[in-house]
Short mmCIF file of all heavy atoms in Angstrom, two decimals:
data_model
loop_
_atom_site.label_atom_id
_atom_site.label_comp_id
_atom_site.label_asym_id
_atom_site.label_seq_id
_atom_site.Cartn_x
_atom_site.Cartn_y
_atom_site.Cartn_z
N SER N 40 125.54 105.75 91.69
CA SER N 40 125.94 106.01 93.06
C SER N 40 126.10 107.51 93.23
O SER N 40 126.68 108.17 92.36
CB SER N 40 127.28 105.34 93.37
OG SER N 40 127.11 103.96 93.37
N GLY N 41 125.56 108.02 94.32
CA GLY N 41 125.68 109.45 94.58
C GLY N 41 124.53 110.26 93.99
O GLY N 41 124.48 111.48 94.15
N GLY N 43 121.42 110.18 94.89
CA GLY N 43 120.48 110.61 95.93
C GLY N 43 119.45 109.58 96.34
O GLY N 43 118.54 109.89 97.12
N LYS N 44 119.60 108.36 95.88
CA LYS N 44 118.61 107.31 96.19
C LYS N 44 118.46 107.06 97.69
O LYS N 44 117.37 107.08 98.23
CB LYS N 44 118.96 106.00 95.48
CG LYS N 44 119.10 106.11 93.97
CD LYS N 44 119.45 104.78 93.33
CE LYS N 44 120.78 104.19 93.77
NZ LYS N 44 121.98 105.00 93.43
N SER N 45 119.60 106.84 98.34
CA SER N 45 119.55 106.55 99.79
C SER N 45 119.05 107.77 100.56
O SER N 45 118.28 107.63 101.51
CB SER N 45 120.93 106.16 100.31
OG SER N 45 121.37 104.98 99.69
N THR N 46 119.49 108.94 100.14
CA THR N 46 119.06 110.16 100.82
C THR N 46 117.54 110.28 100.74
O THR N 46 116.87 110.56 101.75
CB THR N 46 119.71 111.39 100.16
OG1 THR N 46 121.14 111.26 100.25
CG2 THR N 46 119.28 112.68 100.84
N ASP N 173 116.52 99.76 100.20
CA ASP N 173 117.67 100.50 99.66
C ASP N 173 118.71 99.51 99.13
O ASP N 173 119.48 98.94 99.90
CB ASP N 173 118.26 101.40 100.74
CG ASP N 173 119.22 102.43 100.16
OD1 ASP N 173 119.46 102.40 98.93
OD2 ASP N 173 119.73 103.25 100.93
N GLU N 174 118.71 99.31 97.85
CA GLU N 174 119.61 98.36 97.18
C GLU N 174 119.62 97.00 97.88
O GLU N 174 120.69 96.48 98.23
CB GLU N 174 121.02 98.93 97.06
CG GLU N 174 121.02 100.24 96.27
CD GLU N 174 122.38 100.59 95.67
OE1 GLU N 174 123.15 99.67 95.36
OE2 GLU N 174 122.65 101.79 95.51
N SER N 205 115.38 100.62 95.48
CA SER N 205 116.46 101.07 94.60
C SER N 205 117.29 99.87 94.19
O SER N 205 117.49 98.93 94.98
CB SER N 205 117.32 102.12 95.30
OG SER N 205 117.95 101.58 96.43
MG1 LIG S 2 122.72 104.50 98.31
#
Side-chain angles (χ1 to χ4, degrees):
S40 292
K44 303 180 298 297
S45 297
T46 301
D173 194 357
E174 301 201 30
S205 63

